[in-house]
Amino acid sequence: QVQLVESGGGLVKPGGSLRLSCAASGFTFSDYYMSWIRQAPGKGLEWVSYITRSSSYTNYADSVKGRFSISRDNAKNSLYLQMNSLRAEDTAVYYCARPMTTVVTTETDAFDIWGQGTMVTVSS
Amino acid sequence: SSELTQDPAVSVALGQTVRITCQGDSLRSHYASWYQQKPGQAPVLVIYGKNNRPSGIPDRFSGSSSGNTASLTITGAQAEDEADYYCNSRDSSANLIFGGGTKLTVL
């Protein structure tokens, strides 16, 4: 079945680094752009980053720009998020998410597949 | 504005109809999508586009939009609909934005 499974979360000290992974299965991963979305404890959802199908373009929320880096390996059906210079406010569950369609239109601009999330805690 | 505003909490009696709203300038040019999230679970898409439901979403969920306001309506709310609901759209830079979420209580 169509599935996304995140891993790599954990406890890290402020200023530290962590690399998250998202393993995709059940669909042609290379056909979809992919996103990372996070949710701080007790808070709402926040888009973090996205990457196009061929990795030709990436974009980041202002809150993580210059510190986080998104990448993908289509041969391994995997999405990554390299997080550097971590701060307490980066503490959150991180989800990878797939859009509904391979070509996103105004009518299909939504995420129908989400992973279960991986928890990142930044604390000394 | 690049924000989406939702009421923090809404309640509805079992079997009644409830509307959850999402306001933002970007909604004048972009559709909202709606997600349901239960405690400890990942969000689930319930409405996308003009008013479309993914497979498996009950037809008591519907969406609408007028001006800068998008709405999610649950007609005949059930106990299992108690959850947080988030709207999602794009800002003027085409970046994704989410509303702050609405906690729905079914009484």
Side-chain angles (χ1 to χ4, degrees):
Chain A
Q1 72 279 24
V2 176
Q3 195 173 7
L4 297 171
V5 178
E6 301 94 337
S7 61
L11 175 64
V12 61
K13 288 181 168 55
S17 297
L18 213 53
R19 189 195 196 206
L20 306 184
S21 298
C22 170
S25 60
F27 65 99
T28 305
F29 179 70
S30 59
D31 283 348
Y32 292 82
Y33 86 82
M34 296 293 294
S35 284
W36 286 99
I37 294 164
R38 69 184 181 183
Q39 186 172 35
K43 301 296 185 182
L45 299 167
E46 178 189 18
W47 168 74
V48 173
S49 180
Y50 85 83
I51 186 169
T52 54
R53 287 170 280 190
S54 62
S55 304
S56 59
Y57 183 76
T58 59
N59 199 12
Y60 301 90
D62 288 344
S63 58
V64 307
K65 201 170 290 185
R67 301 186 298 121
F68 289 13
S69 177
I70 190 172
S71 62
R72 65 191 295 163
D73 185 336
N74 288 340
K76 294 183 177 179
N77 293 328
S78 292
L79 176 72
Y80 306 102
L81 186 68
Q82 178 66 44
M83 303 186 296
N84 299 329
S85 302
L86 283 161
R87 306 167 180 166
E89 54 264 36
D90 296 318
T91 294
V93 174
Y94 286 73
Y95 297 100
C96 60
R98 191 204 79 171
M100 296 188 61
T101 53
T102 57
V103 178
V104 175
T105 67
T106 55
E107 193 68 24
T108 63
D109 192 8
F111 299 100
D112 65 338
I113 304 297
W114 296 65
Q116 86 288 351
T118 187
M119 182 70 203
V120 172
T121 303
V122 184
S123 175
S124 54
Chain B
S1 170
S2 61
E3 294 182 347
L4 297 176
T5 301
Q6 297 182 240
D7 290 329
V10 170
S11 62
V12 62
L14 184 68
Q16 296 303 300
T17 296
V18 62
R19 177 177 293 181
I20 298 170
T21 61
C22 174
Q23 287 188 303
D25 289 342
S26 65
L27 298 177
R28 297 183 184 279
S29 54
H30 297 278
Y31 290 120
S33 51
W34 290 92
Y35 300 87
Q36 175 193 71
Q37 187 180 35
K38 296 181 179 179
Q41 298 183 17
V44 173
L45 179 65
V46 294
I47 290 290
Y48 66 95
K50 191 173 183 179
N51 179 19
N52 302 294
R53 284 176 288 105
S55 172
I57 301 301
D59 61 5
R60 62 179 179 273
F61 289 89
S62 64
S64 62
S65 184
S66 177
N68 72 336
T69 301
S71 300
L72 171 70
T73 299
I74 307 174
T75 304
Q78 302 299 303
E80 60 265 32
D81 299 334
E82 186 161 293
D84 294 329
Y85 290 86
Y86 294 92
C87 60
N88 165 227
S89 185
R90 292 192 181 267
D91 65 15
S92 55
S93 300
N95 291 326
L96 288 163
I97 49 175
F98 287 90
T102 297
K103 182 178 181 62
L104 176 66
T105 300
V106 180
L107 304 171

